[in-house]
Amino acid sequence: MGSVEAIDAAAGTAESTVDPELLDRVTGSMAELLPRVLKREVTGLTSDTRLFTELGLSSASTLELLLELEDELEIQIDVEEIDQNDLETVGTLAAYIAAHTVADE
């Protein structure tokens, strides 16, 4: 996957510590879950793919994606501090999630 470097770069800007293994898992899961959430095929997905303008994600589908990621990865995403910049691209969202999760116990 050629987008890993760009996601790593986005992760480097996160304020919290990013778990590289979780970042890879989040990225892979997003590629798998976005077509299901959007109910259509998603091709050419990279870390720079814009969630709202390119993929057409809405507030409701963003919430659905976050819930699906929590189930798929068995994590809890801390959404208290998420802002619009974190939702800009696949890479920024993956970096946010990798830095703001608590493993399910």
Side-chain angles (χ1 to χ4, degrees):
M1 179 179 287
S3 62
V4 173
E5 297 81 13
I7 291 173
D8 287 343
T13 63
E15 293 177 13
S16 301
T17 304
V18 174
D19 176 344
E21 186 226 325
L22 181 57
L23 183 64
D24 287 343
R25 290 176 52 217
V26 169
T27 303
S29 292
M30 285 179 71
E32 181 182 315
L33 293 171
L34 276 166
R36 185 182 330 164
V37 168
L38 295 170
K39 297 174 180 45
R40 64 177 170 82
E41 188 176 331
V42 176
T43 58
L45 194 67
T46 71
S47 65
D48 294 326
T49 302
R50 295 180 145 336
L51 294 172
F52 290 92
T53 56
E54 289 180 54
L55 295 180
L57 226 57
S58 65
S59 296
S61 57
T62 300
L63 180 58
E64 183 180 350
L65 176 63
L66 293 172
L67 293 171
E68 291 278 349
L69 285 165
E70 285 184 332
D71 287 345
E72 177 82 17
L73 299 170
E74 297 181 345
I75 58 172
Q76 285 193 321
I77 301 168
D78 178 9
V79 296
E80 295 292 319
E81 297 178 25
I82 199 165
D83 65 26
Q84 192 62 39
N85 292 333
D86 299 316
L87 299 170
E88 196 69 29
T89 67
V90 170
T92 57
L93 180 56
Y96 177 86
I97 292 169
H100 295 87
T101 60
V102 179
D104 282 347
E105 297 298 324

